Amino acid sequence: MLTSFMESFLCCLTSKSANIVVPVETSEPADGHEFVEVKPGRVLRVRHIIPDRSVVEEYTGQGGSISCKRKITVYRNGQLFIENLDDRASTELKNHPNGETQSNSNVEVDLTDCDNSSPPVSIPEARSDSVTTGSNTAFEPATGGEAPAAGQTNQSQQPRRRRRKPKRTVVIDCERKISSCKGTHTDVALFFIHGVGGSLDIWGSQLDFFSRLGYEVIAPDLAGHGASSAPQIAAAYTFYALAEDMRLIFKRYARKRNILIGHSYGVSFCTFLAHEYPEQIHKMVMINGGGPTALEPSLCSIFNLPTCVLYCLSPLLAWSFLKAGFAKQGTKEKQLLKQNNAFNVSSFVLRAMMSGQYWPEGDEIYHAELTVPILLVHGMHDKFVPVEEDQRMAEILLLAFLKLLEDGSHMVMMECPKAVNTLLHEFFLWEPAIPPLPKKESKTRPETAKAQSDNNKASSEPDKVRPATARQTSSNDGAE
C-alpha cells in the first residue's frame, strides 16, 4: 500500500503514469506475433496466423445475391425516415430526438402514385402530444370527422402541413453477392479488433479455433494496449488516429474477401473500415458494440479526472470492470482478465482513449448506408451496453442478424467461447439461397380450324348410347 501511494505521489509530481507500456523496437515475428510500424515511432503488435492448408480449395461457387434500394432522409429535429423503394407501401419513421431512442412507430403518410413526378411520401408534422407509449404507436390525424368524398377538397377541413426541409437524403441502390467463407478458401481473412482496455489476447479462444479450421487470422493491439507502443501525447489516441492505424493494418493484410470482428469500441473501427472499403469487406460481426449513434466524449465522467487520481483509483476501476464486464465475478473471471491482459493499460492511455472518442460522422445515416451482412452478438448481462442499443442497431442496418446469449456479459467471447465460436462459424458459412429459375411454359401446337370445329361439335351434341344386343343382354342375365 505504501508503494502504491509513493508511485501515485511521483505520478503527481511528474504528471505521468507509472505503468507505461514500453515501446517495442524489434520488428521480427516471434510466436506468431509481428510488430508493424504504422508511423515513425508508432509500432503495433499484430498476431498473424497463416495455417498450413493441406488441401487448398479455390472458391468457384456463385453464391446468392441480395438487391436493395432504399431512401433515407434525416430531418433537423432528429427524425429518420427510411423508405424501401422496392415496396412503396412499407415506410418507417424512426424517432431519435436529442439522442434518445424510441420504439418504431407507424406514421400516417400520403403515398402518391408511382407515375407521379411529385415526391412519393408526404410526412405530417410530428407532435409530441400525439405519441403514446407502446411498441406500435400510431399518429392520429390532426382533425377528426369523416373524410371528404373523392375529387372534393375542403380547405377549411384539411390541416395545413408545413413541408420540412430534410437535413440529408441518401439513396442506396446496391446488389451484393454473398458467398460462403470456408477455412480452405485462400482469399478469406479474419480481422479481430478489441476495445478500450483490452488487447489481442482477449481473442485467444477465437484465434485458436479459427486457425485450426484453416482460416487466416489477424488481430492487432491498439496503440497503448498490449505490447504496442504508447505515445505520451493525447492526440495519439483519438478515434481518427486509431482508425488510421486500423486502415494501414487492413491494407497490409487484406485479402479478396475479408471479415471484420469487433468488440465494444472496436466495433466503431470495423464500421469505419466497412464504410471505406465496401467491396473488400465480405461480412462483419459486432459484439456488444452499442447503438448507431455518433461518438462524443462525456463531460461528466470519471475519466476526466487527472491522471494521477485515476492511477490511485485503478484498483477500484479494475473491480468495477470485473463486476460490469462479467456475468459472474469469481476466480475464473479474475484469471481470465490476468491471462488475457485485459484492462491492463496505463491511466494516461485510459484517460486519453475515453476523451478521444469523438466521431460525429458515425450517426444513424452512416450506419444505415452499410450494405455488408452483419451479425450482432449481445450478452444479456452486459451492464455497459443495454440490449436496446443493439436492437436499435439491428433496425437501422440493412442486413443484420441479432443473437442474444443468456449466460454472457460484456466480455462474452471470453465467458462463452464455444457459443460465440459456433455463432461466428455459422455466419461465415451462411449464404442466401439462390431462387429457382422460372419454369418455361411448354409450347403446344395450335389446333387447326377443322379440329376446333370437331371438338366444339362433340361437346355440344349429347352422348349417343348404343343399345345392347340380345346376346349381351342374355349374358348379363346369366351373370346376375
Side-chain angles (χ1 to χ4, degrees):
M1 179 65 70
L2 182 60
T3 306
S4 177
F5 278 114
M6 289 298 297
E7 290 178 353
S8 62
F9 179 72
L10 293 175
C11 170
C12 294
L13 292 179
T14 58
S15 299
K16 293 183 180 180
S17 177
N19 52 342
I20 298 176
V21 181
V22 179
V24 180
E25 297 179 357
T26 179
S27 60
E28 298 178 358
D31 299 334
H33 296 84
E34 302 175 2
F35 298 96
V36 181
E37 188 176 17
V38 292
K39 291 181 181 180
R42 192 179 179 95
V43 182
L44 302 183
R45 182 183 68 156
V46 180
R47 186 175 182 185
H48 183 206
I49 302 177
I50 303 178
D52 296 332
R53 301 181 177 93
S54 57
V55 179
V56 178
E57 176 185 344
E58 294 292 340
Y59 179 75
T60 57
Q62 297 296 329
S65 61
I66 295 179
S67 59
C68 179
K69 188 175 183 180
R70 66 196 310 199
K71 180 180 179 181
I72 307 170
T73 306
V74 61
Y75 294 87
R76 299 186 183 277
N77 60 352
Q79 290 179 343
L80 183 70
F81 182 76
I82 299 179
E83 178 188 6
N84 295 323
L85 299 182
D86 295 336
D87 186 8
R88 304 184 70 88
S90 62
T91 55
E92 298 181 19
L93 180 65
K94 296 177 169 53
N95 293 330
H96 193 263
N98 301 327
E100 298 177 358
T101 59
Q102 295 181 1
S103 58
N104 293 346
S105 302
N106 298 327
V107 182
E108 181 190 7
V109 295
D110 296 333
L111 298 179
T112 59
D113 192 7
C114 299
D115 298 334
N116 195 353
S117 60
S118 60
V121 179
S122 175
I123 308 176
E125 184 70 22
R127 300 184 303 170
S128 60
D129 56 352
S130 62
V131 183
T132 58
T133 58
S135 58
N136 295 326
T137 307
F139 284 86
E140 298 294 338
T143 57
E146 298 180 357
Q152 297 180 1
T153 58
N154 191 348
Q155 299 294 338
S156 61
Q157 294 182 0
Q158 290 185 355
R160 296 183 61 183
R161 295 179 178 179
R162 183 180 60 185
R163 286 189 175 274
R164 294 174 294 169
K165 294 182 179 180
K167 181 179 178 181
R168 186 182 177 189
T169 301
V170 179
V171 178
I172 301 174
D173 189 1
C174 66
E175 184 175 356
R176 191 179 187 92
K177 290 185 178 181
I178 305 170
S179 57
S180 173
C181 296
K182 296 182 180 180
T184 53
H185 298 162
T186 56
D187 61 342
V188 177
L190 309 182
F191 288 82
F192 294 84
I193 304 178
H194 65 85
V196 178
S199 67
L200 62 87
D201 297 324
I202 67 174
W203 303 107
S205 300
Q206 287 71 39
L207 298 179
D208 296 339
F209 177 80
F210 287 105
S211 61
R212 287 196 302 266
L213 291 178
Y215 287 93
E216 180 180 357
V217 296
I218 301 98
D221 273 336
L222 297 178
H225 295 68
S228 296
S229 59
Q232 291 302 302
I233 179 174
Y237 303 99
T238 60
F239 173 83
Y240 296 103
L242 298 174
E244 186 62 24
D245 293 345
M246 295 302 101
R247 185 207 294 269
L248 296 176
I249 294 295
F250 177 78
K251 292 175 64 177
R252 179 184 178 92
Y253 296 100
R255 300 293 182 182
K256 186 177 180 181
R257 294 185 296 167
N258 304 278
I259 301 178
L260 305 179
I261 304 97
H263 171 252
S264 190
Y265 191 30
V267 170
S268 300
F269 304 118
C270 292
T271 305
F272 172 79
L273 293 176
H275 206 276
E276 293 292 321
Y277 305 97
E279 300 299 330
Q280 293 183 261
I281 306 300
H282 197 65
K283 297 176 182 177
M284 190 166 66
V285 180
M286 298 180 176
I287 302 178
N288 293 332
T293 56
L295 297 181
E296 186 175 356
S298 177
L299 298 178
C300 301
S301 175
I302 190 175
F303 298 102
N304 292 330
L305 297 175
T307 305
C308 55
V309 178
L310 286 180
Y311 179 74
C312 297
L313 298 176
S314 57
L316 178 61
L317 294 177
W319 176 81
S320 61
F321 178 80
L322 176 65
K323 186 175 181 180
F326 290 88
K328 299 178 181 179
Q329 297 83 34
T331 307
K332 177 183 177 181
E333 286 72 23
K334 295 180 181 179
Q335 193 68 18
L336 286 174
L337 283 178
K338 185 177 181 180
Q339 290 179 354
N340 295 278
N341 199 19
F343 209 77
N344 186 23
V345 296
S346 66
S347 303
F348 173 79
V349 172
L350 182 60
R351 184 177 186 272
M353 288 282 292
M354 298 303 296
S355 60
Q357 293 184 359
Y358 179 72
W359 186 33
E361 293 85 3
D363 55 0
E364 292 185 342
I365 290 288
Y366 190 92
H367 289 80
E369 290 176 345
L370 295 178
T371 60
V372 183
I374 298 175
L375 173 65
L376 295 145
V377 181
H378 184 86
M380 292 299 295
H381 297 277
D382 190 358
K383 296 181 178 62
F384 290 111
V385 180
V387 67
E388 290 79 12
E389 293 191 13
D390 277 335
Q391 290 175 349
R392 177 69 175 176
M393 179 73 82
E395 294 174 357
I396 293 296
L397 295 174
L398 178 64
L399 186 61
F401 309 92
L402 177 59
K403 299 295 182 179
L404 304 178
L405 295 180
E406 295 289 342
D407 299 332
S409 183
H410 192 68
M411 309 299 291
V412 65
M413 63 281 184
M414 298 170 61
E415 296 175 294
C416 312
K418 293 183 179 180
V420 172
N421 294 341
T422 302
L423 287 177
L424 267 60
H425 193 209
E426 291 178 353
F427 180 64
F428 297 163
L429 300 179
W430 169 79
E431 63 180 358
I434 302 176
L437 297 175
K439 296 182 180 179
K440 296 182 179 180
E441 297 181 358
S442 59
K443 297 181 179 180
T444 58
R445 185 178 180 182
E447 298 180 353
T448 60
K450 184 178 180 181
Q452 291 180 359
S453 61
D454 295 342
N455 293 336
N456 297 334
K457 185 177 180 181
S459 60
S460 61
E461 294 180 358
D463 296 336
K464 295 180 180 180
V465 181
R466 186 180 179 183
T469 59
R471 186 176 180 181
Q472 290 177 348
T473 305
S474 61
S475 62
N476 292 337
D477 295 341
E480 291 176 358

